[in-house]
């Protein structure tokens, strides 16, 4: 088990693939840990360095008292990548993880050369909505809201399958302080203006059945970033990496290839000239 001690917080992280490969970093949604990506990682091309981590208050990372700011979540990611000597990664963030991706790209372009923002937006919901959720969670815990959350997360077909119980348990067992701490971070975030200044290669992924960040919301954020690509995964909800891992991995692999994310002679400068010697 990998625990990175950043001084004020210890984060749990994990590495798959080739430790010498070009880095691809994954950040999870609210109420999930790095197992969110379990189905996708084995389907991705060999030769990359795949790094995942549990954000503060989630999984096996520390859970300091909240509320958390988005700045703290971005700083956690930034310091983790610095500690792991990561430069020029492709950063894949889902939901709140996609907000972390935007914040990191805004702050440290040396760390992020391209990003995948999945089932996310520059602003998610309203501050009032999140503060209502925080109050409800503090009042009764996460269990009473779990069924409503599962309906927003997953398609009807998936909710009728055996796996739902595990994801529901993962969400309910998130430390209350970590969950509401991250709710506060989302409540305080509006990246509309800074994200509209970004120009790095970006793939936005949405799920047609997503009740948390519907496709139109994701597309609106993609449209802020010049030259971004938008991809809709049909039949999947808020966590398409769980419901449609093959489709998700295929689209991600295509993006990695398109941005020329590889070590070696030709990757960085002219990905489109691959194999064509003039």
């Amino acid at each position: 088990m990998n625990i990175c001690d950043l001084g004020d917080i210890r984060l749990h992280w994990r590495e798959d693939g080739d430790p010498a490969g070009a880095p691809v970093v994954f950040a999870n949604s609210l109420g999930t840990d790095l197992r969110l990506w379990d189905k996708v990682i084995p389907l991705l091309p060999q030769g990359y360095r795949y790094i995942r981590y549990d954000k503060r208050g989630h999984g096996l990372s520390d859970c300091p008292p909240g509320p958390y700011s988005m700045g703290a979540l971005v700083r956690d990611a930034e310091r983790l990548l610095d500690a792991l000597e990561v430069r020029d990664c492709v950063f894949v963030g889902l939901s709140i993880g996609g907000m972390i991706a935007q914040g990191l790209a805004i702050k440290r372009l040396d760390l992020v050369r391209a990003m995948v923002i999945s089932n996310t937006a520059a602003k998610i919901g309203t501050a009032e909505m999140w503060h209502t959720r925080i109050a409800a969670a503090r009042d009764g815990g996460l269990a009473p809201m779990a069924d409503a959350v599962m309906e927003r997360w997953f398609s009807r077909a998936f909710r009728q399958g055996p796996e739902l119980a595990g994801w529901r348990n993962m969400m309910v067992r998130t430390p209350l302080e970590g969950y509401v701490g991250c709710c506060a971070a989302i409540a305080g975030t509006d990246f509309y203006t800074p994200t509209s200044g970004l120009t790095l290669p970006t793939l936005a992924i949405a799920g047609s059945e997503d009740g948390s960040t519907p496709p139109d919301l994701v597309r609106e954020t993609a449209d802020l970033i010049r030259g971004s690509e938008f991809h809709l995964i049909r039949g999947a909800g808020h966590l398409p990496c769980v419901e449609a891992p093959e489709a998700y991995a295929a689209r991600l692999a295509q993006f990695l290839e398109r941005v020329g994310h590889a070590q070696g002679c030709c990757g960085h400068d002219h990905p489109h000239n691959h194999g064509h010697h003039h």
Side-chain angles (χ1 to χ4, degrees):
M1 186 186 299
N2 298 318
I3 301 288
C4 185
D5 190 342
L6 298 174
D8 59 334
I9 193 160
R10 289 161 303 194
L11 297 179
H12 172 235
W13 64 282
R14 143 166 205 173
E15 186 172 75
D16 295 277
D18 182 352
V24 183
V25 181
F26 296 83
N28 323 319
S29 57
L30 180 66
T32 67
D33 60 36
L34 54 70
R35 289 175 288 186
L36 182 65
W37 307 100
D38 278 356
K39 292 184 185 180
V40 166
I41 301 279
L43 301 174
L44 290 170
Q46 298 304 300
Y48 292 100
R49 180 188 185 195
Y50 297 111
I51 296 167
R52 310 181 249 171
Y53 74 100
D54 291 335
K55 68 187 160 294
R56 60 170 60 207
H58 285 68
L60 303 180
S61 290
D62 285 350
C63 183
Y68 309 150
S69 67
M70 186 57 64
L73 295 174
V74 170
R75 196 162 57 249
D76 288 347
E78 175 187 12
R79 291 184 302 166
L80 176 67
L81 297 188
D82 280 338
L84 299 181
E85 300 184 337
V86 168
R87 285 277 175 283
D88 288 328
C89 77
V90 171
F91 197 101
V92 184
L94 193 144
S95 197
I96 188 175
M99 292 183 134
I100 294 169
Q102 294 168 68
L104 193 62
I106 290 158
K107 187 178 182 186
R108 292 284 306 274
L109 214 46
D110 60 312
L111 292 182
V112 187
R113 66 181 298 251
M115 68 177 180
V116 180
I117 50 173
S118 180
N119 306 83
T120 190
K123 183 182 193 296
I124 299 176
T126 62
E128 299 75 48
M129 180 197 102
W130 289 108
H131 290 305
T132 301
R133 188 182 300 190
I134 290 167
R138 288 229 180 266
D139 198 38
L142 299 181
M145 62 178 73
D147 290 340
V149 171
M150 293 303 108
E151 284 194 23
R152 290 194 296 271
W153 278 13
F154 295 114
S155 67
R156 183 183 298 270
F158 187 89
R159 291 201 310 273
Q160 285 157 357
E163 248 193 276
L164 181 77
W167 295 101
R168 189 182 188 281
N169 286 343
M170 187 186 286
M171 181 251 162
V172 168
R173 291 176 193 169
T174 305
L176 181 63
E177 199 64 22
Y179 189 89
V180 302
C182 285
C183 287
I186 301 172
T189 302
D190 181 349
F191 278 147
Y192 203 93
T193 302
T195 292
S196 65
L198 291 173
T199 56
L200 77 169
T202 300
L203 168 64
I205 299 177
S208 67
E209 311 305 304
D210 187 344
S212 294
T213 51
D216 286 350
L217 185 70
V218 181
R219 190 189 289 275
E220 188 187 338
T221 297
D223 287 345
L224 299 176
I225 303 164
R226 200 174 75 231
S228 68
E229 307 170 33
F230 176 83
H231 182 69
L232 180 67
I233 297 182
R234 297 200 179 277
H238 189 55
L239 310 177
C241 48
V242 170
E243 285 196 71
E246 293 84 4
Y248 200 96
R251 191 61 186 83
L252 181 51
Q254 187 187 337
F255 181 70
L256 291 173
E257 186 175 332
R258 188 189 76 73
V259 300
H261 190 52
Q263 313 279 67
C265 65
C266 8
H268 284 294
D269 298 331
H270 301 289
H272 53 283
N273 286 344
H274 214 46
H276 301 289
H277 300 289
H278 301 297

